[in-house]
Amino acid sequence: MSSAFELAGKEPGRAVSRPDNVHAARYQRNLGTLGVAGQGRLLASHALVVGLGGLGGYVVEQLARSGVGRITGVDPDRFEETNLNRQLLATLDTLGSRKVDAAQKRIASVNPACVFTGVMGRHRDISQAVWSTVDIGFDCLDSIADRLDLADICARNACILIHGAVAGWYAQVAVVWPGQPTLKSLYPSTGPGWEQEIGTPPFTVGLAASLMVAQGVKIMIGESIARSPRVEFIDLRESHWLTTSL
Amino acid sequence: MRVKVKLLSVFAPHAREDGEGLTAVRDGATVRELAESLGLPLDLVRIITVNGRQVYLDEGLAEGDEVYLFPPALGGG
């Protein structure tokens, strides 16, 4: 197999070890936190990331660097200028490009052990073949109706869903275990969002995405986490962090 | 009575504080009455704490309570 790590190894100072080995140097700073067994579990995991905008861009980046072996990314859109303030994969070079293609290129350049498959479409376009192998889903959507629908589909597929959302200085993250009505409790209706009015700065997006990945990684490596329906709500303006049960 | 109210996110413009940063409300009022008096859409008042403890709309308030009212965030960035 000709891959980025083999090609990189041809130049002095650029040699890298096989990234599909848990002892590869690239995982050295992961192992103290995740453990060898945990790193192995990540390499064997399949994560589904629905939405490759602000949250989704940071989520796929961190999943790949964490060493998740397989990512399916879903988004129907292309990058535009208004994405540049906060979407990691939006650059001058990717404007006009399909988000799934930019994500695939980025992941290949970061970690060739991570196989990224793009679905140019919406969450309803994810095939049953994908659902049958997904270990965990990440809700990086921006519509209440789509978020609720995704949670229902995850429940039908016994898939744990990591929910994240942002608004201005405020971020919220929740682990939705299959069948829990967490998002229905959180969102009273499917009305339009107000994030365009309140803004979406990059630091809030990055924070929410990091919390989502941390929760997802814990689940993928088998750490025990609370199963009661609850939401983490973070106010960055007042440095206030609240864990609420629903 | 007066309570200290923190309105977060899109609720912020509904703040109605006096010169001491406090909000007047009927003695013994519930969170629901407070939220209604501020003109907040009740179906969006999903996350509430009083003195750091999570409560629901029917919680009764006391003089000097610190009340946080959050709406859910929606955006995916």
Side-chain angles (χ1 to χ4, degrees):
Chain A
M1 182 179 76
S2 175
S3 61
F5 59 90
E6 288 169 338
L7 295 173
K10 292 182 178 177
E11 293 180 33
R14 293 189 63 201
V16 293
S17 47
R18 289 188 62 90
D20 51 355
N21 180 333
V22 294
H23 294 291
R26 70 164 54 241
Y27 302 127
Q28 191 181 70
R29 300 296 179 97
N30 283 357
L31 293 181
T33 310
L34 307 177
V36 171
Q39 191 67 64
R41 288 193 189 106
L42 283 189
L43 282 164
S45 293
H46 180 187
L48 172 68
V49 181
V50 186
L52 295 172
L55 293 172
Y58 284 108
V59 166
V60 293
E61 174 88 4
Q62 293 185 31
L63 290 175
R65 290 187 188 274
S66 296
V68 171
R70 188 175 167 199
I71 300 172
T72 297
V74 184
D75 200 297
D77 295 332
R78 296 172 181 268
F79 286 111
E80 52 189 60
E81 188 178 349
T82 56
N83 301 153
L84 284 169
N85 80 311
R86 68 199 182 283
Q87 299 194 9
L88 180 68
L89 300 170
T91 67
L92 294 179
D93 289 335
T94 62
L95 289 184
S97 302
R98 295 166 14 143
K99 293 185 177 180
V100 288
D101 293 341
Q104 183 157 38
K105 200 177 284 186
R106 174 71 178 181
I107 298 314
S109 74
V110 168
N111 188 354
C114 177
V115 177
F116 180 92
T117 305
V119 175
M120 178 73 178
R122 309 183 73 83
H123 63 284
R124 284 269 171 183
D125 299 316
I126 301 165
S127 71
Q128 198 52 46
V130 169
W131 280 114
S132 65
T133 60
V134 162
D135 295 296
I136 195 163
F138 289 85
D139 164 16
C140 303
L141 290 164
D142 57 7
S143 135
I144 296 177
D146 286 347
R147 289 179 184 281
L148 295 173
D149 194 38
L150 176 63
D152 282 345
I153 296 171
C154 281
R156 286 204 295 277
N157 287 280
C159 179
I160 299 165
L161 181 66
I162 312 294
H163 160 81
V166 292
W169 297 96
Y170 311 97
Q172 73 191 26
V173 172
V175 177
V176 183
W177 299 88
Q180 285 184 344
T182 311
L183 298 193
K184 285 195 180 97
S185 302
L186 198 54
Y187 295 121
S189 64
T190 54
W194 53 63
E195 66 277 6
Q196 289 189 357
E197 168 196 336
I198 198 171
T200 317
F203 40 81
T204 312
V205 175
L207 172 81
S210 296
L211 292 173
M212 294 172 75
V213 173
Q215 295 290 49
V217 164
K218 281 190 283 186
I219 290 167
M220 283 185 272
I221 69 173
E223 286 207 3
S224 78
I225 68 170
R227 287 193 174 233
S228 56
R230 57 189 213 162
V231 179
E232 310 282 344
F233 199 97
I234 302 103
D235 167 12
L236 284 172
R237 176 174 272 162
E238 304 230 359
S239 300
H240 186 76
W241 184 320
L242 177 71
T243 302
T244 68
S245 54
L246 290 169
Chain B
M1 66 178 185
R2 295 186 304 168
V3 293
K4 186 165 185 58
V5 181
K6 294 268 190 183
L7 299 179
L8 304 184
S9 186
V10 291
F11 288 171
H14 290 261
R16 195 195 63 213
E17 296 177 345
D18 61 21
E20 297 174 81
L22 298 171
T23 301
V25 65
R26 180 185 70 79
D27 282 358
T30 62
V31 173
R32 182 190 307 277
E33 289 175 74
L34 170 66
E36 282 175 340
S37 75
L38 296 173
L40 299 178
L42 285 183
D43 62 342
L44 291 180
V45 183
R46 299 311 250 205
I47 304 157
I48 308 161
T49 66
V50 174
N51 303 325
R53 182 174 59 90
Q54 189 189 355
V55 301
Y56 297 92
L57 282 169
D58 292 330
E59 180 79 7
L61 296 171
E63 175 77 28
D65 277 349
E66 186 174 65
V67 185
Y68 278 74
L69 301 171
F70 300 13
L74 304 175

